[in-house]
Amino acid sequence: MHDKIIAKKDLDSFVRSLAQSRDVFAPVRDKASMGWAQIDSADNLEFDFLNTDFSPKAFFFPQNERLMHFTNSSRDEDGMIMEEEPPRDREQVLLNIRPCDAKAFCVLDLVFCQDENAPDVYWKDKRDKTVLIGLACKAPCPTCFCTSVNCGPHHEEGLDMLLVDLGEDLLARPLTDKGQELAADLQDAPQEAVDQAAGQKKASEEAITSTVDMSKINERPVLEEYEHPYFDRVFEACINCGTCTFYCPTCHCFDIQDETQDEFGHRVRNWDTCMSWLFTHHTSGHNPRGTKKDRVRQRFMHKFKYMPIKLGGAIGCVGCGRCTRKCPVNIDVRTVVNSMNE
């Protein structure tokens, strides 16, 4: 697939064309924050930003999602019978998504679709009907460490197309058949633009100076890592607020509840967090992760030890740095992982 070129002054027609048959979402500025919003033109597109405050995982894994509904009445002949929610009826495009967030979707695919015969249909339906057009990072955030966790500022995995900001123009690199289709009417990129994009990739990767080392974590037996003395200290500062899991693009704990009001009922899936004692609290009263140390250890062991073992080496972290930026008590995931690795 050949790299293409699109002038920013022509981007509006490209976006309007996308929006004719799809819902198009992109990062837009809202005062001091960057959030995702639906767009139908290029008027509010931003190209100079670090990343969105929230990850885009809610597009496939909403914070609250109705899975089924039912009539809450035993007198009705159809009462108490679950009916599935209809699938998504329109494709969507996530435009200018950062490569780390697209990589996070690939990690979550391994969770929600690990059994190809019984995938999570709610996740898969939205994934199949979504086009991901990435925007490479020109100036990574100081807390980013994506290059340490199988990712990078120009990483292409999970994207249908990667855009590279060259100033007046965007280099558009189709990566899948979907991307190729969208780029069909664009002109081939001149070699000068391809070289400029390659130079930007090298500079962006070199700008990421913080790293984590997982070599010893990978080598140690699970129980030996589990008993690492560092876990006796790191939990002391944590307040188990769950902010890290809320912002994390790969955290996926959830709870399913049946909720009713009058004669209407629905089954909903809600985000949950392993930082909460209630998440593992059994009906018997027993809690296998009853202490703060248990819960903090679980979060980091899950991402950097359990998931790589269970998911063929896939790390449960893409190095976006959101948890470090948002943590109210300044727990830095890079420090934690490097200490686990000692």
Side-chain angles (χ1 to χ4, degrees):
M1 297 182 183
H2 297 290
D3 287 346
K4 303 289 184 176
I5 198 81
I6 180 171
K8 284 185 178 175
K9 62 182 178 59
D10 298 329
L11 194 58
D12 190 65
S13 61
F14 180 71
V15 174
R16 290 181 184 277
S17 175
L18 290 176
Q20 286 181 354
S21 56
R22 307 171 182 87
D23 296 328
V24 181
F25 300 89
V28 298
R29 192 171 298 282
D30 181 11
K31 298 180 181 176
S33 63
M34 288 296 295
W36 286 90
Q38 187 166 0
I39 62 171
D40 56 15
S41 71
D43 291 346
N44 296 319
L45 281 182
E46 290 273 350
F47 292 94
D48 292 322
F49 64 96
L50 296 175
N51 204 347
T52 52
D53 286 15
F54 291 97
S55 87
K57 69 178 176 183
F59 283 103
F60 303 143
F61 176 48
Q63 187 175 0
N64 309 102
E65 181 174 25
R66 190 167 74 172
L67 308 179
M68 299 182 182
H69 60 273
F70 58 95
T71 301
N72 183 38
S73 172
S74 57
R75 299 187 301 274
D76 190 307
E77 63 178 7
D78 295 325
M80 313 310 291
I81 298 175
M82 292 285 181
E83 296 185 32
E84 293 185 16
E85 290 297 304
R88 185 177 177 80
D89 60 359
R90 188 174 159 92
E91 288 195 344
Q92 61 182 353
V93 176
L94 302 189
L95 178 62
N96 285 356
I97 182 175
R98 288 303 190 191
C100 58
D101 286 332
K103 165 73 176 180
F105 291 149
C106 297
V107 174
L108 292 179
D109 283 340
L110 298 174
V111 175
F112 288 111
C113 300
Q114 55 186 293
D115 183 348
E116 62 179 15
N117 295 316
D120 184 300
V121 295
Y122 306 98
W123 170 273
K124 189 173 187 306
D125 176 61
K126 291 184 276 291
R127 280 286 273 151
D128 290 345
K129 296 173 181 173
T130 301
V131 178
L132 299 181
I133 301 178
L135 178 64
C137 292
K138 291 176 66 175
C141 179
T143 56
C144 291
F145 58 101
C146 56
T147 50
S148 294
V149 285
N150 304 328
C151 192
H154 285 232
H155 198 69
E156 298 175 353
E157 186 179 4
L159 293 170
D160 295 296
M161 180 188 292
L162 177 67
L163 301 177
V164 182
D165 185 4
L166 303 179
E168 298 296 324
D169 301 316
L170 293 165
L171 181 132
R173 177 169 297 155
L175 300 167
T176 65
D177 291 342
K178 288 182 179 178
Q180 184 77 1
E181 181 182 349
L182 295 179
D185 295 332
L186 302 180
Q187 294 184 342
D188 287 349
Q191 188 59 43
E192 181 184 10
V194 176
D195 293 342
Q196 188 179 351
Q200 185 189 122
K201 177 176 184 291
K202 183 173 185 292
S204 296
E205 290 174 346
E206 292 175 349
I208 298 175
T209 56
S210 59
T211 60
V212 299
D213 183 4
M214 294 178 55
S215 56
K216 294 180 181 177
I217 298 174
N218 294 333
E219 294 172 359
R220 287 194 191 107
V222 170
L223 288 180
E224 185 176 333
E225 187 64 41
Y226 184 85
E227 298 294 349
H228 196 295
Y230 178 67
F231 290 121
D232 292 332
R233 307 193 310 271
V234 65
F235 78 91
E236 293 173 343
C238 180
I239 56 175
N240 276 176
C241 64
T243 297
C244 49
T245 62
F246 188 73
Y247 283 98
C248 177
T250 63
C251 276
H252 53 274
C253 291
F254 61 84
D255 185 23
I256 293 179
Q257 297 179 343
D258 287 346
E259 299 179 353
T260 61
Q261 183 173 14
D262 300 327
E263 294 193 348
F264 181 76
H266 57 193
R267 177 163 292 178
V268 294
R269 174 161 65 182
N270 304 307
W271 288 2
D272 208 331
T273 171
C274 60
M275 292 292 97
S276 168
W277 67 271
L278 187 60
F279 183 63
T280 49
H281 190 240
H282 295 184
T283 305
S284 65
H286 172 65
N287 194 331
R289 293 202 288 270
T291 69
K292 189 166 70 171
K293 175 184 173 181
D294 294 330
R295 296 188 285 276
V296 172
R297 175 167 52 190
Q298 165 64 21
R299 171 169 165 75
F300 294 109
M301 286 289 287
H302 189 214
K303 288 185 172 298
F304 298 99
K305 187 63 178 178
Y306 303 151
M307 288 182 74
I309 292 175
K310 293 286 189 182
L311 302 178
I315 304 168
C317 173
V318 293
C320 69
R322 285 187 178 93
C323 59
T324 298
R325 293 196 298 276
K326 300 296 184 182
C327 179
V329 294
N330 298 320
I331 293 177
D332 189 325
V333 63
R334 297 165 296 184
T335 302
V336 175
V337 176
N338 285 327
S339 296
M340 288 171 62
N341 198 60
E342 289 177 353

